Amino acid sequence: MFRRMFSRSLYRLQNLSGSRGLSLHNQSISSDYAGLAAFQPLLHNRPYATTPPPAAFASSLNQTELAKFAAIADSWWDAEGPFKPLHVMNPTRLAFLRSTLCRHFGKDPFSPRPFEGLKFVDVGCGGGILSEPLARMGASVTGIDALEKNIKIARLHADLDPVASSIEYRCTTAESLVEEQMAFDAVIALEVIEHVADPAEFCKSLSSLTVSNGATVISTINRSMRAYATAIVAAEYILHWLPKGTHQWSSFLTPEELVLILQRASISVKEMAGFVYDPLTGQWSLTDDIGVNFIAFGIKTANNSSV
């Protein structure tokens, strides 16, 4: 049912555009999702893509969501605790980042430090489980989080590793970094946008932090019935992988919604991939199926700065 609704929505988009530009991670795109390729040319032609944003950036913080994560902050580095799903997913997230960012920046993906010379910001870094491997891969990493408790935990853990200790952790928001006129080669916000109060304003801030022709990467959960069944009912209430109430289905974004929001913020989405969990191996892998967990890689357009 959902796929039929999704396909009809994409068909309406496709009717407004005759060419294609967005690819899924696997170039052999399945017919169910091939319509996603219609997003890019459509978005380039939308009038709101060049509409200047407000001078001031509204806060995207959601105090209720912050309180949820403050309650479990001590468990960030417990691989069997409430953040176990992120620990298990991390290698797959990093594989996507290595692939897309190395290709975009002309780096060697087989190098042990492929991100040498690049500045990254990990928005909503939590305890630093993504920031640390990015730093080990050579990036100059700034990790930011709105919770002071998360930042303290991230700093303490990073101090155990000479390479990770180079990470600059700050208790702040993306909007505050925009006001400081900070800029990064890559802006990364994984599993964050579904917890903010205003996704559109949040994406504007991410865009403003991204240098011209830099990269913005966002991962989240699709607002599909399958995602409700797996990411909420199964993960929170049956398997107890996550504390109950971690996610609100109404806060999820569909892939087409995320693409539109990013385009309004001058981020041109170039590639998407899904994450699929294999209960037999206990591992995640990349897939063209973006029906539940998915990740989007976009480029900051040079001629439509949102700053």
Side-chain angles (χ1 to χ4, degrees):
M1 176 65 178
F2 169 73
R3 284 193 177 187
R4 290 198 298 271
M5 293 174 62
F6 190 51
S7 297
R8 284 198 294 270
S9 177
L10 293 178
Y11 178 74
R12 287 195 293 270
L13 290 176
Q14 201 167 352
N15 283 340
L16 299 177
S17 173
S19 59
R20 298 186 171 190
L22 174 64
S23 68
L24 293 178
H25 187 72
N26 187 331
Q27 293 303 308
S28 300
I29 302 177
S30 64
S31 59
D32 287 332
Y33 300 107
L36 278 171
F39 286 148
Q40 197 60 35
L42 164 68
L43 296 174
H44 278 308
N45 294 326
R46 296 299 287 175
Y48 53 63
T50 56
T51 302
F57 286 84
S59 173
S60 61
L61 293 181
N62 184 322
Q63 296 301 326
T64 301
E65 294 295 308
L66 290 178
K68 290 180 187 177
F69 286 95
I72 55 175
D74 290 333
S75 303
W76 268 107
W77 287 97
D78 179 359
E80 297 298 321
F83 294 107
K84 178 179 179 178
L86 292 183
H87 283 276
V88 178
M89 186 186 286
N90 225 26
T92 310
R93 302 194 303 178
L94 288 165
F96 181 86
L97 291 172
R98 181 188 286 266
S99 172
T100 54
L101 295 177
C102 284
R103 184 164 59 250
H104 178 65
F105 292 111
K107 299 287 188 175
D108 179 7
F110 300 104
S111 166
R113 294 174 61 84
F115 299 144
E116 198 85 58
L118 296 174
K119 289 177 58 180
F120 291 0
V121 61
D122 180 9
V123 179
C125 65
I129 64 174
L130 182 71
S131 295
E132 288 197 14
L134 290 175
R136 295 188 191 102
M137 294 164 75
S140 174
V141 179
T142 298
I144 68 170
D145 200 281
L147 286 175
E148 181 66 40
K149 194 173 184 179
N150 285 346
I151 293 300
K152 288 181 178 178
I153 291 169
R155 286 172 177 160
L156 285 172
H157 195 273
D159 286 341
L160 302 175
D161 182 339
V163 176
S165 63
S166 66
I167 300 170
E168 181 185 4
Y169 284 116
R170 297 179 57 183
C171 182
T172 187
T173 64
E175 292 86 357
S176 295
L177 291 189
V178 172
E179 293 176 357
E180 296 177 33
Q181 299 184 331
M182 300 284 285
F184 302 88
D185 298 300
V187 176
I188 303 168
L190 306 189
E191 281 69 55
V192 175
I193 196 169
E194 65 268 26
H195 300 291
V196 303
D198 190 332
E201 288 300 322
F202 180 68
C203 287
K204 288 179 183 178
S205 296
L206 299 185
S207 176
S208 293
L209 292 175
T210 309
V211 299
S212 180
N213 201 42
T216 302
V217 185
I218 295 177
S219 66
T220 187
I221 303 173
N222 193 342
R223 196 177 66 255
S224 66
M225 292 310 298
R226 185 149 57 98
Y228 180 82
T230 57
I232 295 180
V233 176
E236 297 181 17
Y237 292 88
I238 298 176
L239 300 174
H240 304 292
W241 286 351
L242 299 168
K244 295 177 182 178
T246 297
H247 293 116
Q248 298 297 321
W249 186 79
S250 60
S251 298
F252 295 162
L253 295 172
T254 66
E256 56 185 330
E257 288 170 342
L258 181 60
V259 170
L260 290 168
I261 288 172
L262 286 171
Q263 185 62 34
R264 293 181 184 183
S266 300
I267 300 295
S268 177
V269 176
K270 298 298 184 183
E271 187 169 337
M272 277 189 178
F275 296 122
V276 62
Y277 180 75
D278 185 344
L280 297 179
T281 64
Q283 301 296 317
W284 292 83
S285 60
L286 292 171
T287 174
D288 284 344
D289 182 356
I290 54 176
V292 184
N293 296 82
F294 69 98
I295 188 167
F297 163 79
I299 304 301
K300 172 73 170 287
T301 55
N303 58 341
N304 283 327
S305 173
S306 64
V307 178

